[in-house]
Structures are given as structure tokens and as C-alpha cells.
Amino acid sequence: MPDQPVDRLGQRISVVLLTYNCAHRIEPILDRLGKLDLPLIAVDNGSADGTADVLAKRPEIEVIRLSRNIGAAGRNVGADSARTPYVLFCDDDGWYEQEALEGVCDLFDAHPELALVNARIAVGAEEELDPISAEMADSPLPASHDLPGTTLLGFMAGAVAVRRSAYQEAGGYDHRFFIGGEEETLAVKLARAGWQMRYLPEFVMHHEPSLANALGLRAMGMRNTLVNTWLHRPWRSALRWTVFTLADNPKNADWLRAIAWTLRALPWIVRERDPMDAELDAQLTVLDRRRFANRRPVFTYRGWQPGDPLRPQM
């Protein structure tokens, strides 16, 4: 890693930046991340537009060039290279405010059971609250472990600080999920191992959404949701969420592609399926029901509507 001065905060937390084909827009992001005065590791996911060359012009950045795009698993490479106990994950269209970072590190220090803290996401120049942040802030899950913030069983990959040891213990991101909802399986693995996850609104990241690289993301996200569901949920919960997912998504080419990709994954779903215990499934069911209630009713299954407290009658 290039020699660079780091203060006490830089000895506690570093930034892992995941990039792909963003040479034309990465400079302002690098400027903002540079103001954090933290060790910065950029993992370039096999870009073909010279992104890695743009990164290499900044000697303060450790650049890791991957020969091909491995999706979210590129973050694993960055985390393995980090020398700090905590890591900020960042995508190439966002950056963090510095003010709360020391407090986040203090929180990790004080609570060894805490694996992850999700930031509040401010979108665009208007800094509008991301709807996912609003949902996290209103988490119906009970508080525990005397931890501040709201309890989570999911997170946004590019808007979190993680305890590196917990992340690595859980195996990081599974390369088979590539990108798009890739957080779901990792979140389940962390929860099953007893790790805690929290949303902290004073911890802020800014997101300037890019439409680049969006091709296929909806299909991949739907496929990843279905695969994760059948890998980890008891069969009744898995079936309920599958019915809802299939009904809730637009019926188009992405919908068909997602189903085809899910069917293609069946061999390893069957091989690796390991349903979670009833307690964790019950917590996820609380979140399921809120999602049913908050979305437009788009189907009825034998008289069951989204938001009903009962499972569909099979």
C-alpha cells in the first residue's frame, strides 16, 4: 500500500471502493473520499474504460486491478487487503460524511457483537432521503443489546461500515450472486451467527445514482431474492415470499430472465439449502408483512391479500 499519513481514525477504519467502467465520473468521488483522510483501497472490477488508470494517478490510493468483473465479491478482495479492524464500503457513485465516523468506530469498540452499521443515504444534489433509509429508520424489529439505532436484518452494500472480522467470518459476498440484492444472503449469515446490525441516521453517505451498468440488475435482483429465500427460509415462508415476489414484479423480459436464472441455480440451492431457525424466520416474517402492507395489492391467492397476518392456505 502506498505510504500515507494516517491519523488515529485512519488506524481504525479504511475505505474499500468498488469501481467498474466509471472513468468519466469517478474524479469528484475520489476528491470527496480523499477528504476523509482514511486509507483508501480501490478494487477495479475489470473495467475496460481506463478506470484503473485514473485511480493509479492518485498515489494515496491502493489500486487492486481485477482481470474480470466478479461483482460484489470484489469487496472481499478489498476487505482482505485492509489493515484496519473496520471498513467503509463505498461504490463509485457515493461518498461519506466524516462527522460520524469516529462515533461509528466507538460503537464498534464498545459492542463486540456489532457487525455492521448502515448509513442514512442522501440522494442527489437535493439530498433527498432514500426510501430504503426511511424504511430502516422505521424498523419494527425490537431493540436489543443496548445498541443505538434501529435493528436491521438487511442492509445496503454500498452504504455500510463493517467489522472486518465479522464480514470475513461470514464469508463476505458470494460471487454467485454477482450484484443486485447481493446483501440478502450475507445479512442472513451474519444474523444466523448472532451478529448485530444497526441503522444509524447520524452516519451519512451521499449517493449520486448512475444509470451505468444497470442492464440486467432488476432481473439479477429478483433472481437473488428468490435464490436467497430458498437457501435460507423454511419452506412455508419461502413459498409465501416467492409468490409475493413473482406477483409484485412487472411481467416483462426481466421477469422471465429472473425465473430462468433461478431455475438454473436449483442444483446448488438443493445442495446447500439450510433453513434458519424459527426465531429468525419469525423476525423476517415481521418484515415480510410490513412489505406486503406497504405495497400495492397486486394479487390474491385463495383469498389472501398482502398484509394479511395469516399464511396463504395451501
Side-chain angles (χ1 to χ4, degrees), residues 21-64:
N21 284 352
C22 59
H24 62 291
R25 57 182 171 82
I26 192 62
E27 293 278 11
I29 301 296
L30 297 177
D31 290 341
R32 292 180 181 276
L33 290 175
K35 293 177 181 178
L36 297 178
D37 290 324
L38 300 177
L40 175 55
I41 301 167
V43 180
D44 184 66
N45 242 335
S47 293
D49 69 341
T51 296
D53 295 328
V54 173
L55 296 168
K57 292 177 181 177
R58 303 201 179 211
E60 72 277 11
I61 300 176
E62 177 182 357
V63 182
I64 302 175

Side-chain angles (χ1 to χ4, degrees), residues 57 112 150 170 180 201-202 220 225 248 263 276 282 298 306:
K57 292 177 181 177
T150 54
E202 56 266 36
M220 185 61 71
T225 290
D248 190 58
L263 292 174
M276 62 185 63
V298 292

Side-chain angles (χ1 to χ4, degrees), residues 115-136:
L116 179 148
V117 180
N118 205 113
R120 172 166 56 91
I121 305 172
V123 181
E126 295 79 15
E127 300 188 0
E128 295 181 354
L129 181 67
D130 190 297
I132 293 175
S133 294
E135 185 175 341
M136 289 181 176

Side-chain angles (χ1 to χ4, degrees), residues 29 32-33 90-91 93-97 204-208:
I29 301 296
R32 292 180 181 276
L33 290 175
C90 190
D91 291 339
D93 56 1
W95 68 93
Y96 290 88
E97 292 184 5
V204 179
M205 76 88 58
H206 293 266
H207 184 210
E208 292 188 349

Side-chain angles (χ1 to χ4, degrees), residues 110-114 142-148 151 194-196 198:
H111 297 275
E113 72 277 22
L114 180 65
S144 62
H145 295 262
D146 195 30
L147 277 161
T151 303
W195 291 104
Q196 295 294 307
R198 291 294 185 272

